Every structure is written in C-alpha cells, then in structure tokens.
Amino acid sequence: MSNLQSSSENRNNRVLVCVGGGIAAYKVCEVVSTLFKSGVEVRVILTRSAQEFITPLTLATLSRHPAYTDNDFWQPTHSRPLHIELGEWADLIVIAPLTANTLAKLTYGMADNLLTNTVLASTCPVLLAPAMNTDMWEQLTVQRNWQQLLTDSRYHGMSTASGLLACDRIGAGRMAEPAEIVTRIHSLLHTGGKRDLVGKRILISAGGTREYLDPVRFIGNPSTGKMGLALAQAALHRGANVTLVHGIANWDVPLGVQAIPVISAEEMQQVMLEYLPNADVIVMSAAVADVKPKDYSTEKLPKRSLPQALPVEPVPDIVAQLAQLKQPHQLLIGFAAQTGDIITPAKEKLQTKKLDVIVANPIDQPDSGFGSNNNQAIFLDGQNHQLEVAHCSKLEMAHHLFDFVMSRHA
C-alpha cells in the first residue's frame, strides 16, 4: 500500500498576491491573512491606484513581509531585477481585484508597472478575480479581453458575483468572496493549474438524508456535506461540469456548480437516477440513511403517542442501483465511513456494490469525518490499488481522490 502525506509536510507554497485599484481591495486583507495562517508564504504587490484604497503597511503586517509597490520596482536595491525575482519565486500569482485597466494590459502583453512586468516574467498559473461596476464589466471590450485572456492556459478566472456594488448599482461585477478565492488558490497550488477534468460531467451526492417520523422528528446522521462540497469545488476547479445533489446544508454552493437540494433518501435516489445517464463520474459521498420510519404522521405526534418501539423499513440502496445501471465508460465511487477496522468493510462494500473505487475514512479519529474541515482516508479500487492519504483538508482529500481516479481510470 502506498502512502501519501499531507502537503503541509512539504515546502511551503509561495503565493504572490497582486492588488489592483478598487474598493474590493479591502477583501484581499482576509485572503492574505488566511493564506499566512494556513502556512503559505505570501508576498504582495500593490499598484499605484491600489494604494488609494489600502496601505502597503496593512498588507505587510498581514503577510509578515514588506509589500512591494512601483517605488520598489524602480529602485536599484536588489541584486536582481525585482520583477524577475518575484516571478521566479511564485508558485501562483493572484490578481485581486483585477481592474479593467490591468485586464487590458495582460491581454495585450503590456508591462508598464511592477505587477504586469512580474506576470510577464513568470511561468506559474495566474488566478484572476475581477471586480468593477456592472456597466464596466459588461462592456463588449472588457468581455472580449476577458475571454481572450482566458484562452491562455496560464490564466484561471473567477466568476464575478451579483449584488449591491459600492456605486449603489445592483448587478454583476462583485469580486468573489475571500473564502472562495482562498479555496481556489489551494486548488491551484495542488494541481499546478492542470485542467484534467475538462469535458467531464461529475455527479456528486453530499450530506445526510433525513427520514421523518412526523414534521419535527426524523432519523438522520451528523453529516454536514463538507466532503461532498470539497469534491464539487475540486472538480469544478479542474474544469469539470459539476452537479451536486445534497441534503440540508449550511454552506454556500460554489458559483458554477449545479446544486439540487433534497431531504430524504427517496428524493436523492430520484435525482441521482435522473442525472446518472449523462454523468462520466459519479461520487456517492452522501451519508444516506439505512432505514426510515414505517409510518409517517402529517401532524406532530404528542409525546404520549410516540411508539415505544419504532417500526422501520429500509430505504433505497442508491449506490447499488447506480452500479446496476451505470455504463462501462462511467466510473462509480463510493464512501465507507467506519470506526475501528476501516479496510475490511470497505473492501466488502467495493465488491458487493460493484464500485470502481471506494474511499474508506475513519470517523473515530480526531478532527476527521463528520462535521470536520479535515479528513483522512484509504482509497481502494477493483484492481487492488490502494493509497493511504494522511490527515489533510477535505479539499486536498478531494484532489487526491481525483488524482487517484484519473491516474488509473482516465
């Protein structure tokens, strides 16, 4: 069995954050702070107009390193040109907020400041988080530049959100939220910018189902759907078309993911079977109930009327049905959340359910499994390949799973 250690044990990733001029620049403070706290080395460049909104001192404090401006670019205080040093240093460049002006410069290869010179002097992936007034964002010239720049595989664009803008306009043009930017950064650091799921349609189930006895009581489990969310994010960031079928959730669905909320196992079964024919990869990460109350009351039962022994009946075995109906070109991945010995029951489920891959993850280990932001697991497939992934974030776990699948079953 091969082992895969968490990337936190490797050299710290290096991210160069470039701040453009716009009110959304204040959001970058949270991005820089969060990256530093996660162990990423951060350097910051501010354009001249960015300094009208936020100071170099603020970002220097958050990154624990001096922030660079055009004044540094033109000073002969470095042994090598600053833009060359920064361009070679970075594993990833993030431009947030990306203004219409910087977008135009990048599209046509112009370099008249530290930011644009550094981008041209680098070869790493570049993440773009645009932000501007709705009319500006929707200008034909801006959209043409945006689409043209994204034809270069180096550049990875984040969608703008709609809402109330600083100009009091309600519409498109809001910069992606810091948490979404940070998630995309970690994805790009893992993949190096590869888009190996382009053209793939990924169907994912997530979260727990609820089987109601009456309008207020149900049989359920502690699943929050965070693992399924991470799988959807990872697949989306690698270029896939993602459909996420999820139970009750307290997280936001990523822009670009088709999300279908359900409650019961029967509802999840109907949706999964509906979308199965068009899927290339199906990931059944949901924690589906095993049984449901045999009888349902449309009104809340008084406490005195609750049965001493609750009659139950099985719910549909969704993953078994998917396995029976899937086509040879489709891959079906299941999850087995276990305590104690996780491998033996996972191998049994892999065979009896006729899965292509199964993820065995312990739910009795600290900071892993249900409700946690982290996980650990062992991947197994029908060809006796086995990979152990050490404790890491669920996003990283999701990427390791797609790495495992694509390397052996692409």
Side-chain angles (χ1 to χ4, degrees):
M1 178 175 66
S2 57
N3 297 298
L4 188 60
Q5 298 299 315
S6 169
S7 64
S8 61
E9 297 181 14
N10 301 326
R11 171 186 67 79
N12 286 353
N13 291 302
R14 299 179 297 207
V15 175
L16 176 63
V17 177
C18 300
V19 187
I23 188 60
Y26 80 92
K27 293 183 177 180
V28 181
C29 294
E30 184 177 342
V31 173
V32 172
S33 178
T34 304
L35 289 175
F36 177 83
K37 291 176 183 177
S38 69
V40 174
E41 290 186 46
V42 186
R43 302 289 183 268
V44 181
I45 291 175
L46 294 91
T47 64
R48 191 172 302 279
S49 57
Q51 296 173 68
E52 299 294 329
F53 296 92
I54 190 169
T55 68
L57 177 59
T58 299
L59 291 169
T61 303
L62 294 173
S63 65
R64 276 65 162 187
H65 192 277
Y68 299 108
T69 68
D70 283 347
N71 289 336
D72 301 296
F73 185 31
W74 305 118
Q75 296 298 320
T77 57
H78 301 272
S79 58
R80 303 175 65 217
L82 180 57
H83 64 295
I84 303 296
E85 285 190 349
L86 290 173
E88 293 177 352
W89 174 86
D91 296 318
L92 172 68
I93 295 174
V94 180
I95 306 178
L98 173 71
T99 63
N101 186 44
T102 299
L103 171 61
K105 292 177 183 179
L106 295 175
T107 302
Y108 293 99
M110 298 172 62
D112 64 350
N113 60 11
L114 179 57
L115 188 162
T116 50
N117 274 274
T118 302
V119 171
L120 291 186
S122 65
T123 58
C124 64
V126 180
L127 177 61
L128 307 170
M132 61 193 78
N133 165 269
T134 302
D135 289 332
M136 295 174 67
W137 175 243
E138 294 178 349
Q139 286 291 328
L140 179 62
T141 51
V142 172
Q143 286 300 307
R144 183 172 62 231
N145 288 343
W146 177 246
Q147 296 301 326
Q148 182 176 332
L149 188 59
L150 293 182
T151 61
D152 185 333
S153 61
R154 278 193 69 196
Y155 294 95
H156 301 259
M158 300 199 68
S159 301
T160 61
S162 294
L164 178 64
L165 307 180
C167 59
D168 290 331
R169 174 75 179 272
I170 297 177
R174 285 176 58 92
M175 191 175 80
E177 293 303 313
E180 190 176 357
I181 295 174
V182 170
T183 298
R184 188 66 174 272
I185 287 171
H186 283 296
S187 281
L188 286 169
L189 290 173
H190 181 97
T191 65
K194 67 182 176 184
R195 296 182 175 95
D196 54 349
L197 294 181
V198 168
K200 298 290 186 181
R201 292 163 296 186
I202 312 294
L203 176 62
I204 300 168
S205 69
T209 59
R210 295 182 177 184
E211 309 302 329
Y212 279 85
L213 170 64
D214 63 18
V216 299
R217 301 181 180 94
F218 61 86
I219 297 175
N221 57 66
S223 175
T224 59
K226 288 182 179 180
M227 188 67 239
L229 170 64
L231 288 161
Q233 291 170 324
L236 179 71
H237 298 164
R238 294 168 82 136
N241 184 316
V242 183
T243 300
L244 178 63
V245 184
H246 64 86
I248 303 296
N250 61 358
W251 33 259
D252 294 328
V253 176
L255 291 173
V257 170
Q258 179 185 13
I260 305 172
V262 297
I263 296 176
S264 68
E266 186 175 350
E267 291 178 359
M268 182 170 285
Q269 173 199 34
Q270 293 173 352
V271 177
M272 294 297 290
L273 292 178
E274 178 183 351
Y275 283 83
L276 172 66
N278 293 323
D280 298 300
V281 180
I282 306 96
V283 188
M284 195 69 192
S285 69
V288 181
D290 297 306
V291 295
K292 66 178 182 179
K294 189 172 183 179
D295 300 309
Y296 173 74
S297 171
T298 57
E299 296 183 355
K300 179 184 177 181
L301 294 171
K303 188 175 182 178
R304 64 179 180 276
S305 299
L306 293 175
Q308 294 297 312
L310 180 64
V312 296
E313 59 186 10
V315 301
D317 190 336
I318 302 175
V319 73
Q321 292 180 331
L322 295 173
Q324 291 177 353
L325 295 172
K326 83 178 186 73
Q327 299 301 308
H329 73 279
Q330 295 177 309
L331 292 176
L332 178 59
I333 303 169
F335 273 67
Q338 299 288 344
T339 59
D341 173 20
I342 66 173
I343 296 182
T344 302
K347 285 184 175 179
E348 180 180 351
K349 185 174 182 179
L350 177 70
Q351 296 172 356
T352 58
K353 304 292 186 182
K354 299 180 181 179
L355 305 175
D356 297 296
V357 176
I358 193 164
V359 178
N361 65 292
I363 56 173
D364 55 355
Q365 298 299 312
D367 194 24
S368 296
F370 292 140
S372 173
N373 293 322
N374 301 305
N375 212 345
Q376 53 188 298
I378 298 173
F379 305 156
L380 306 99
D381 68 9
Q383 289 74 49
N384 294 317
H385 296 124
Q386 193 166 311
L387 178 68
E388 181 176 358
V389 180
H391 186 269
C392 62
S393 72
K394 287 184 174 177
L395 179 68
E396 189 174 352
M397 179 70 68
H399 279 296
H400 286 318
L401 178 58
F402 287 124
D403 291 341
F404 181 82
V405 170
M406 294 305 292
S407 66
R408 293 171 175 81
H409 303 277

